[in-house]
């Protein structure tokens, strides 16, 4: 066996570090690094310690195999140990007589049964972040550790640092994901409870206001209309919130039947005619009359998806503008486009407008209402049908939102099954 005294020691160091990269997991890898360190420095034992989250204790992540069971559960305090001093200072140390160093953490000796005579320790640092300490103890034959031993340790510590740093990042990602999932569950619970609790009183307000509308004198009718409009808007917001959430929590289901797309388009255009007129916007379609164009889908959901596009087109088009609803049949699909000559969407925002709560203007400064949910709801509804939705837009010129819906849902489902199997 070649040791550091061998003229081949550099070659062995290279070979050792090359072999290390074949280790299967982090634990096995660190064990190999520690063993390579013992071998190359001709020492009795070697170990790697990593700081815990608090930064107050170091824990063994590699140690001689026979002592591993004892050492893996041992906490070495940063304050009160040689390893801790090396970790804190970031400077390597050679300790010739560990026993006499007041900082020597004697618990380890008593628990492992190995009396520490001499020691060399280097900090494990990556990208300026302190990670832990790499140490070797008891050079064979009672000899002292040298600067060369420290150099070997530093090379191996740099190897270990990369993997330990990656491991730390991976753990941070996992715990961030867990936190996000927990927050998401809390948000879903809140949305479900809030929308359920709001729906009942809102239903009462709308019901009674509609009843009053029939009873009151014309001069009061306008005020009651305002109540009805505001309550309906609130109802839409609550529906949007629970629609997006239901889909994300897998609660949404499709109630499909064959329905006429062209009839739906005419109904929707009719229902938005008054809003459009109030802004002197014309709203038209390429269909002259309902045609025989039916699809298999959930009419409520497709209606919501299209309504949101038409509502936005009117909202983001200036007075005197135009909104056009185009219906085309392409093989296997119906292509529905809502085109406006309104304010358009800046290129930088276009990719994000289908995200939940995304709005081009800041919520606090914008002129328009809404919560940035409409398009995400439309996307959800369309994708539930195996369809696609996208937008093209030029700022200052207008926007074109397109929905592609498969005509035959059964076919889409069968195709998806084959793809997933
Ligand atoms: P909101 O309900 O707040 O309007 P949406 O999800 O429906 O939210 O839309 C997100 C954002 O996309 C809007 O705030 C708006 O800035 C932009 N947007 C949507 N449709 C249009 C459109 N037809 N023209 C211009 N901007 C639009």
């Amino acid at each position: 066996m070649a040791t550091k005294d061998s003229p081949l020691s550099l070659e062995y160091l290279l070979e050792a570090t090359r072999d290390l990269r074949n280790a299967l997991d982090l634990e096995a890898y660190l064990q190999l690094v520690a063993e390579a360190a013992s071998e190359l420095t001709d020492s009795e034992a070697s170990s790697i310690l990593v700081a815990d989250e608090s930064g107050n204790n170091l824990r063994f992540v590699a140690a001689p195999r026979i002592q591993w069971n004892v050492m893996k559960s041992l906490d070495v305090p940063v304050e009160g140990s040689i390893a801790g001093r090396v970790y804190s200072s970031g400077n390597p140390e050679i300790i010739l007589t560990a026993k006499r160093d007041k900082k020597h953490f004697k618990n380890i000796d008593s628990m492992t049964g190995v009396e520490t005579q001499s020691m060399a320790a280097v900090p494990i640092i990556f990208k300026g972040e302190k990670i832990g300490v790499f140490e070797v103890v008891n050079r064979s034959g009672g000899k002292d550790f040298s600067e060369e031993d420290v150099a070997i340790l530093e090379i191996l510590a740099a190897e270990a640092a990369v993997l330990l740093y990656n491991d730390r990042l991976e753990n941070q990602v996992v715990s961030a994901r867990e936190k996000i999932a927990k927050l998401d569950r809390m948000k879903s619970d809140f949305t479900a409870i809030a929308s359920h609790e709001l729906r009942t009183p809102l239903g009462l307000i709308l019901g009674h206001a509609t009843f009053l509308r029939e009873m009151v004198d014309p001069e009061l009718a306008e005020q009651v209309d305002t109540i009805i409009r505001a309550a309906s808007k609130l109802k839409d917001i609550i529906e949007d919130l629970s629609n997006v959430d239901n889909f994300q929590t897998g609660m949404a289901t499709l109630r499909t039947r064959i329905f006429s797309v062209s009839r739906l388009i005419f109904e929707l255009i009719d229902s938005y005619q008054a809003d459009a007129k109030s802004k002197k916007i014309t709203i038209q379609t390429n269909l002259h009359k309902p045609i025989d164009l039916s699809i298999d889908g959930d009419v409520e959901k497709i209606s919501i998806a299209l309504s949101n596009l038409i509502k936005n087109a009117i909202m983001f088009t200036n007075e005197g503008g135009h909104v056009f609803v185009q219906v085309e049949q392409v093989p296997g699909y119906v292509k529905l486009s809502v085109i406006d000559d309104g304010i358009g969407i800046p290129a930088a925002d276009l990719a994000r407008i289908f995200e939940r709560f995304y709005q081009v203007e800041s919520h606090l400064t914008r002129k328009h209402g809404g919560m940035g949910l409409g398009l995400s709801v439309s996307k959800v509804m369309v994708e539930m049908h195996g369809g696609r939705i996208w937008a093209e837009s030029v700022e200052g010129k207008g926007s074109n939102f397109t929905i592609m819906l498969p005509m035959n849902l059964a076919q889409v489902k069968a195709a998806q099954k084959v793809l997933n199997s």
Side-chain angles (χ1 to χ4, degrees), residues 381-394:
M381 302 299 172
V382 170
E383 287 178 353
M384 281 179 86
H385 285 79
R388 277 184 61 218
I389 182 168
W390 69 92
E392 291 149 289
S393 186
V394 178

Side-chain angles (χ1 to χ4, degrees), residues 278-302:
S278 70
K279 283 182 79 179
K280 298 190 181 62
I281 289 172
T282 58
I283 171 163
Q284 287 176 315
T285 166
N286 63 324
L287 298 177
H288 298 297
K289 56 180 175 47
I291 55 165
D292 183 20
L293 184 59
S294 298
I295 66 165
D296 190 0
D298 186 325
V299 64
E300 293 289 329
K301 294 192 170 63
I302 301 296

Side-chain angles (χ1 to χ4, degrees), residues 177-193 245 248-249 356:
R177 280 215 190 104
E178 282 166 1
K179 273 188 204 145
I180 290 170
K182 191 173 165 220
L183 285 174
D184 213 50
R185 276 196 300 279
M186 284 168 71
K187 176 227 54 184
S188 290
D189 290 349
F190 172 77
T191 312
I193 295 168
D245 219 63
Q248 282 183 331
T249 50
R356 279 185 297 167

Side-chain angles (χ1 to χ4, degrees), residues 276-282 317-323 341:
K277 229 178 230 155
S278 70
K279 283 182 79 179
K280 298 190 181 62
I281 289 172
T282 58
T317 297
N318 295 325
E319 283 214 353
H322 305 85
V323 174
D341 54 3

Side-chain angles (χ1 to χ4, degrees), residues 108-119:
I108 302 177
D109 289 9
S110 61
M111 288 182 83
T112 58
V114 175
E115 193 183 347
T116 307
Q117 309 283 349
S118 55
M119 193 171 163

Side-chain angles (χ1 to χ4, degrees), residues 119-147:
M119 193 171 163
V122 301
I124 302 175
I125 300 174
F126 192 70
K127 291 191 175 174
E129 213 174 289
K130 290 176 188 168
I131 298 175
V133 176
F134 199 160
E135 57 185 30
V136 280
V137 296
N138 300 349
R139 177 97 156 72
S140 78
K143 289 189 207 153
D144 294 333
F145 285 107
S146 64
E147 289 299 330

